[in-house]
Amino acid sequence: ETGVTQSPTHLIKTRGQQVTLRCSSQSGHNTVSWYQQALGQGPQFIFQYYREEENGRGNFPPRFSGLQFPNYSSELNVNALELDDSALYLCASSSRGQTYNEQFFGPGTRLTVL
Amino acid sequence: AQSVSQHNHHVILSEAASLELGCNYSYGGTVNLFWYVQYPGQHLQLLLKYFSGDPLVKGIKGFEAEFIKSKFSFNLRKPSVQWSDTAEYFCAVTAHNQGGKLIFGQGTELSVKP
């Protein structure tokens, strides 16, 4: 069973640029959630994708957007990067339809905005 | 809005000491509760979860947690910690009808001295 994978591992961007982060969900999972974890903080929910549509969103501005593909992999796009966007971005996959869809986390992408 | 509060930012214990990490949440409805652990350099992993039934739940590696509904608490315990328990611990909650949107606490860093 292949776990959740994310790419790239690390990324450095400058303020105002755009970034795309990628996530491959665990085999058999159809739902992907994205979280932002700032240094010293717990992860914060950005949004969730199910059946290629956004299915719930946290308190993040529209410049945070995403996609889910037919194979259930997902992308997180952030436009007009700000210094405060520097964080670890976590992807979690789950299988909707169970009593509880336990979320399995990937290793994260460390984004640094200069 | 839901929130999760973890009482301790950093806990330092000697091996064989007992551990209790506090977690309180704010939400009036039915919730699912979780403890996640992040070992140095590794992914977030689920330690244990509570959905319903017996409020005392047992997880991996000898950890347990007790859900006290009247206190909105879900404290994590372990009778005797080991050096290998050194990690960051996150309490998280999801509302029963919110399809897995996890709200995390800020985390507690546990350091176990050999």
Side-chain angles (χ1 to χ4, degrees), chain A residues 54-75:
Chain A
E54 189 179 287
N55 178 51
R57 188 179 185 93
N59 189 26
F60 281 81
R63 59 190 185 83
F64 285 77
S65 63
L67 285 172
Q68 186 181 33
F69 301 99
N71 67 354
Y72 306 123
S73 66
S74 177
E75 284 183 355

Side-chain angles (χ1 to χ4, degrees), chain A:
Chain A
E1 186 178 82
T2 306
V4 178
T5 60
Q6 293 186 242
S7 62
T9 306
H10 296 88
L11 203 52
I12 299 174
K13 291 285 188 179
T14 56
R15 198 168 44 182
Q17 286 189 309
Q18 178 265 342
V19 69
T20 298
L21 310 182
R22 294 178 176 82
C23 171
S24 291
S25 59
Q26 185 166 308
S27 176
H29 287 179
N30 56 18
T31 303
V32 172
S33 304
W34 286 92
Y35 295 82
Q36 181 196 66
Q37 186 177 13
L39 202 61
Q41 301 295 318
Q44 286 194 59
F45 177 76
I46 302 175
F47 43 55
Q48 183 181 87
Y49 276 83
Y50 171 64
R51 289 186 175 177
E52 302 177 50
E53 292 190 359
E54 189 179 287
N55 178 51
R57 188 179 185 93
N59 189 26
F60 281 81
R63 59 190 185 83
F64 285 77
S65 63
L67 285 172
Q68 186 181 33
F69 301 99
N71 67 354
Y72 306 123
S73 66
S74 177
E75 284 183 355
L76 164 65
N77 299 289
V78 187
N79 293 323
L81 283 167
E82 300 177 1
L83 297 179
D84 284 350
D85 296 333
S86 294
L88 181 68
Y89 288 85
L90 297 168
C91 167
S93 76
S94 54
S95 181
R96 192 160 180 162
Q98 299 174 359
T99 303
Y100 170 71
N101 45 352
E102 177 180 335
Q103 296 187 34
F104 293 81
F105 284 83
T109 294
R110 173 75 61 187
L111 173 64
T112 302
V113 182
L114 303 176

